[in-house]
Amino acid sequence: MPKFFFITICWNNFAGLRATIDSLLMQSCREWECIIVDGNSSDGTSPYLDSLVAEHSNITVISEPDKGIYDAMN
């Protein structure tokens, strides 16, 4: 079975990130990995990301300050 890879970015958009991850976790296909690139959010995103990594071995988080959305995407 193929494995799917998802990469998403966020910065101070906890509600949007949670909606994205909730949707991903509801998929019937379980053969996936997700990388979340966070721009060092200060809105409660960090504890949520920590809990995701602790609960899901297929989720990786990179959290560091960036220079805006295009820097994060690259």
Side-chain angles (χ1 to χ4, degrees), residues 40-59:
N40 203 24
S41 295
S42 60
D43 65 344
T45 297
S46 293
Y48 174 67
L49 293 174
D50 291 342
S51 70
L52 283 175
V53 169
E55 294 176 26
H56 304 280
S57 62
N58 55 341
I59 296 179

Side-chain angles (χ1 to χ4, degrees), residues 4-22:
F4 296 94
F5 294 90
F6 300 91
I7 300 173
T8 191
I9 60 170
C10 68
W11 181 70
N12 289 335
N13 185 9
F14 177 71
L17 175 64
R18 186 166 191 159
T20 298
I21 299 304
D22 286 349

